[in-house]
């Protein structure tokens, strides 16, 4: 409980700079709505919805048993599942109200907001039908791709990237930076390598669209596979949201040219964050509700949306370092190179009351630890209680984001591939 | 079966004029996509999805027993429910692909299409969660209202109406058509009564927005309460779609100024129609699937979307005469003035094999016929088989639309409230 309060306090601290920034528009109503009304409304709707829906979900067969509580008296408690549907509804309701405010805005954010709403609704719908119907892998890959099409169609930012310095010789011939034959070939595919570019600018055109689609698929699924212990799905989303909001606040206060895009990100993320905090209260250890694929998918697509329309889609990945590590670690099991049991979450040890790494059985006998970041953390740090485990992984998320930000701001990443985001 | 084929043939006849019209754009790819690829794709996805999902739905507890088959051997057959989710997905997938084609269109249809997609997805999500969780009446009224906000925010057509002649004296004082005090009062509410207007033009401003929201709520719910026998929900949607498409074709060929808006309506309706035809094949008597609230809500909002963004939102209601009649007839039971049993669909008479009007029990003893158009039709026309009953009601739908079109085009409605739609 004290750890939960710590998460709440840190979230509030990380959004507190927002009201101090130069406001997004000259309309006080609009500014007030974005900063106060919309997050408050999302929190209220989510809290009210969760209380009302819990019983209904259990009655309709949407519940799960908490595998991490095997051997305790909570073992047989029917935990309502797919509560992410409530935060999802609270988020889209608030964003729908926002569209009305945005209808006459300059520069026009309405198409951008509508395409975001479309993608979020699509994934929310996909997530909920997945909780009920359990889609196959095809649907899980095809539908997010389709849902990202409106995002890509509306994207109006730069499609240029800065090539890393060690690759420059592939595209430009010194000393006058004239183009190589590879560059001419790329031109035939619709891309533009700028002759004489000193930073190494390449307009990758439609490839950027493909990248944005893939980003959307990755963020939707990566939260779903870095999950399984109480509070981790929502907790990591809260941490990522706070980090992105801090990044937005930093960029706005630095007066970058894409200030409007960063405010757009704030507009979408704030109500999502408060809705998630409402859900975290119930999903924190010991969880009285599960969030379901509904939450994981819709959270993932929210991050993709703000990254793409906030024009920081490459920086975005720096907030997903634990998710990327977990994905890479999981690959052998996801690709079935190594046996993959249905559940890979850590095992509760009844005698000690602590969580321990779980194992898979090899066909020829013998065992191996399941390849997830959670199990790896337990292997390194030793068994620990479920609440503490979640909290430590959230601290890891914060630490990794700090490392990411160092890459982004402190020279290592500068001059590599991030320069163009200020174009 | 022969009756189903008749519905298919009539549908194909009613869309056949579309390729003969002056094409919507100068891009052959775009025109070809709208007229051929998108409807074909929707049909294929829907057919494939229905076949794959049927078993899954039954396994997950989403099935119903066909009350209209009581006493037959089909009585205990578990009919998969909520198959509307498949046509819904096929529709939104096709529309998502369309957004990519529209991204550079002039005049910009992208925001209009995105707001439509948002509303359709919202209602699809609401419908499916309703099938699974059974929302209360509050949610059924509040959520469609919220889902209509993006539509209203993007609406760029006229908000003026022509006042019926017998009301003119309320707003204008003869002989010089100067304004009355009521008109001055309306001006304070943000509306504009045009002084000296001979046709009687009033700009109702935000009231038109409210009307559009209410229209969206009405169309979403009216199909849901005019239902209960095999094939009626999908059948009426097919008939209404065909009538609207004929209306669009007529307006485009007449060269009205809102040609672009009518093509937009065609773009949204064609894939919906073909998806629905795919579903009708399985939902026709004897039904091997039910469509669920998912279908009824999403169909309703599709009609609201094309009516609003096609700029014929008042004409639209002329295609809903049976639904309006059924709604008015149902009011005493919906408002609980008269007892309302859970199901009001007609009763199957085992001995004759025909459908008969169903009845409700009065608290003090005695009975009354349930107040629906289906029961009224059986009262007037005598008992009949379920398939024939559906077909007759569809013919009624066609006949009533014809009457509506006479009102619209043949002088009765001209000069009343429809004139402004060509403004």
């Amino acid at each position: 409980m004290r750890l939960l309060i710590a998460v709440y306090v840190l979230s509030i601290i990380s959004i507190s700079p927002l009201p101090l920034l130069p406001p997004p528009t000259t309309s006080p109503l609009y500014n007030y709505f974005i900063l106060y009304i919309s997050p408050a409304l999302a929190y209220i709707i989510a809290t009210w919805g969760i209380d009302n829906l819990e019983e209904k979900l259990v009655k309709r067969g949407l519940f799960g048993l908490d595998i991490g509580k095997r051997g305790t008296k909570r073992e047989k408690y029917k935990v309502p599942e797919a509560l992410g549907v409530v935060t999802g509804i609270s988020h889209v309701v608030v964003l729908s109200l926002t569209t009305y405010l945005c209808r006459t805005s300059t520069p026009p954010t309405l198409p951008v907001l509508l395409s975001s709403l479309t993608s979020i609704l699509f994934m929310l719908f996909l997530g909920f039908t997945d909780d009920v119907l359990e889609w196959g892998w095809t649907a899980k890959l095809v539908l997010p791709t389709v849902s990202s099409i409106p995002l890509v169609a509306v994207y109006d930012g730069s499609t240029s990237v800065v090539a890393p310095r060690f690759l420059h010789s592939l595209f430009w011939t010194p000393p006058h930076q004239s183009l190589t034959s590879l560059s001419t070939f790329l031109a035939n595919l619709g891309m533009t390598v700028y002759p004489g570019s000193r930073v190494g600018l390449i307009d990758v055109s439609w490839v950027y669209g493909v990248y944005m689609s893939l980003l959307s698929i990755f963020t939707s699924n990566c939260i779903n596979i870095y999950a399984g212990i109480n509070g981790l799905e929502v907790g990591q989303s809260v941490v990522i949201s706070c980090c992105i909001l801090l990044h937005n606040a930093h960029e706005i206060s630095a007066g970058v040219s894409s200030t409007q895009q960063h405010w757009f990100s704030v507009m979408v993320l704030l109500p999502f964050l408060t809705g998630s905090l409402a859900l975290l209260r119930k999903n924190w250890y010991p969880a009285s509700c599960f969030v379901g694929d509904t939450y994981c998918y819709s959270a993932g697509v929210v991050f993709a949306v703000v990254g793409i329309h906030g024009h920081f889609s490459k920086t975005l990945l720096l907030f997903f370092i634990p998710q990327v590590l977990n994905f890479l670690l999981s690959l052998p099991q996801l690709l079935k190179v190594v046996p993959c049991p249905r559940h890979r979450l850590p095992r509760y040890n009844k005698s000690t009351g602590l969580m321990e790494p779980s194992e898979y059985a090899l066909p020829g006998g013998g065992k191996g630890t399941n390849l997830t970041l959670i199990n790896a953390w337990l292997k390194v740090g030793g068994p620990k209680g479920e609440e503490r485990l979640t909290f430590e992984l959230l601290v890891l998320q914060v630490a990794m984001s700090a490392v990411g930000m160092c890459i982004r701001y402190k020279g290592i990443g500068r001059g590599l591939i991030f320069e163009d985001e200020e174009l």
Side-chain angles (χ1 to χ4, degrees), chain A:
Chain A
M1 191 61 195
R2 268 190 301 170
L3 295 179
L4 175 61
I5 293 171
V7 174
Y8 263 73
V9 170
L10 287 173
S11 307
I12 292 167
I13 291 174
S14 68
I15 59 174
S16 58
L18 291 173
L20 308 173
L21 296 172
T25 67
T26 52
S27 153
L29 170 69
Y30 183 94
N31 300 342
Y32 196 77
F33 183 86
I34 300 296
L35 285 174
Y36 302 101
I37 302 178
S38 113
L41 206 57
Y43 187 86
I44 294 166
I45 297 175
T47 308
W48 178 82
I50 293 166
D51 291 342
N52 277 279
L53 218 63
E54 279 177 332
E55 271 181 49
K56 228 171 207 171
L57 287 162
V58 175
K59 214 190 293 170
R60 295 291 293 182
L62 279 167
F63 61 84
L65 302 175
D66 198 336
I67 304 178
K69 307 286 183 296
R70 265 182 198 158
T72 72
K73 57 183 174 182
R74 294 184 73 90
E75 179 184 21
K76 293 202 173 150
Y77 179 71
K78 289 180 181 175
V79 186
E81 177 63 276
L83 250 300
V85 76
V86 177
T87 49
I89 289 180
S90 80
H91 194 211
V92 293
V93 165
V94 168
L95 288 185
S96 292
L97 295 174
T98 314
T99 57
Y100 197 75
L101 271 181
C102 283
R103 75 190 187 287
T104 52
S105 66
T106 352
T109 50
L110 190 55
V112 173
L113 182 55
L114 285 171
S115 75
S116 311
L117 199 46
T118 305
S119 280
I120 296 170
L121 272 164
F122 209 126
M123 291 304 287
L124 200 52
F125 178 58
L126 171 64
F128 188 69
T129 49
D130 188 31
D131 276 327
V132 176
L133 302 173
E134 289 165 12
W135 294 113
W137 270 103
T138 331
K140 285 193 189 190
L141 293 180
V142 171
L143 290 179
T145 314
V146 174
S147 88
S148 70
I149 292 175
L151 286 182
V152 175
V154 168
Y155 180 71
D156 58 354
S158 160
T159 53
S160 294
V161 293
V162 177
R165 198 156 291 277
F166 61 94
L167 291 178
H168 279 197
S169 56
L170 284 176
F171 304 108
W172 291 276
T173 333
H176 297 300
Q177 298 286 72
S178 54
L179 302 182
T180 62
S181 51
L182 176 64
S183 298
T184 330
F185 176 70
L186 289 181
N188 292 331
L189 296 177
M191 291 173 253
T192 314
V193 180
Y194 291 102
S197 168
R198 286 180 59 196
V199 290
L201 206 61
I202 303 176
D203 184 351
V204 294
S205 180
W206 57 270
V207 176
Y208 205 83
V210 174
Y211 162 73
M212 291 189 285
S213 269
L214 290 176
L215 179 72
S216 168
I217 299 171
F218 174 74
T219 56
S220 312
N221 283 291
C222 71
I223 296 176
N224 208 18
I225 61 170
Y226 186 43
I229 57 174
N230 291 177
L232 186 58
E233 299 93 330
V234 188
Q236 66 182 302
S237 304
V238 164
V239 170
I240 294 172
S241 302
C242 290
C243 291
I244 296 178
L245 285 168
L246 279 174
H247 172 65
N248 294 145
H250 175 271
E251 296 290 281
I252 293 168
S253 71
V256 297
S257 60
S258 55
T259 302
Q260 280 304 323
Q261 280 74 25
H262 285 286
W263 272 118
F264 176 81
S265 162
V266 172
M267 185 172 92
V268 173
L269 269 186
L270 262 187
F272 172 75
L273 172 64
T274 54
S276 297
L277 284 173
L279 186 57
L280 188 60
R281 203 165 54 95
K282 294 277 188 160
N283 185 238
W284 195 256
Y285 177 89
S288 63
C289 76
F290 289 150
V291 298
D293 295 348
T294 317
Y295 183 82
C296 299
Y297 286 145
S298 60
V301 80
V302 166
F303 297 134
V305 158
V306 300
I308 290 170
H309 286 322
H311 296 186
F312 55 92
S313 56
K314 295 192 293 301
T315 303
L316 182 74
L317 281 177
L318 298 177
F319 301 115
F320 279 83
I321 297 175
Q323 284 74 17
V324 173
L325 288 178
N326 183 59
F327 173 69
L328 295 176
L329 205 54
S330 299
L331 266 185
Q333 286 195 311
L334 294 181
L335 299 174
K336 315 261 173 185
V337 178
V338 167
C340 183
R342 183 157 156 64
H343 292 291
R344 306 190 297 156
L345 71 170
R347 199 164 45 80
Y348 176 73
N349 186 328
K350 202 171 152 182
S351 56
T352 60
L354 301 176
M355 304 297 277
E356 292 172 1
S358 64
E359 290 166 331
Y360 61 87
L362 284 165
K367 288 179 169 188
T369 306
N370 276 316
L371 299 168
T372 69
L373 190 61
I374 310 175
N375 285 324
W377 189 256
L378 285 172
K379 263 249 139 85
V380 173
K384 53 197 71 179
E386 188 171 357
E387 184 179 19
R388 191 169 175 82
L389 176 59
T390 304
F391 191 74
E392 286 185 9
L393 290 171
L394 295 186
V395 171
L396 177 73
Q397 184 89 36
V398 174
M400 287 295 184
S401 294
V403 171
M405 284 301 91
C406 287
I407 297 179
R408 172 78 172 73
Y409 288 116
K410 295 296 171 200
I412 315 171
R414 271 257 178 277
L416 260 172
I417 58 166
F418 291 104
E419 214 148 8
D420 64 294
E421 298 200 328
E422 307 217 352
L423 284 178

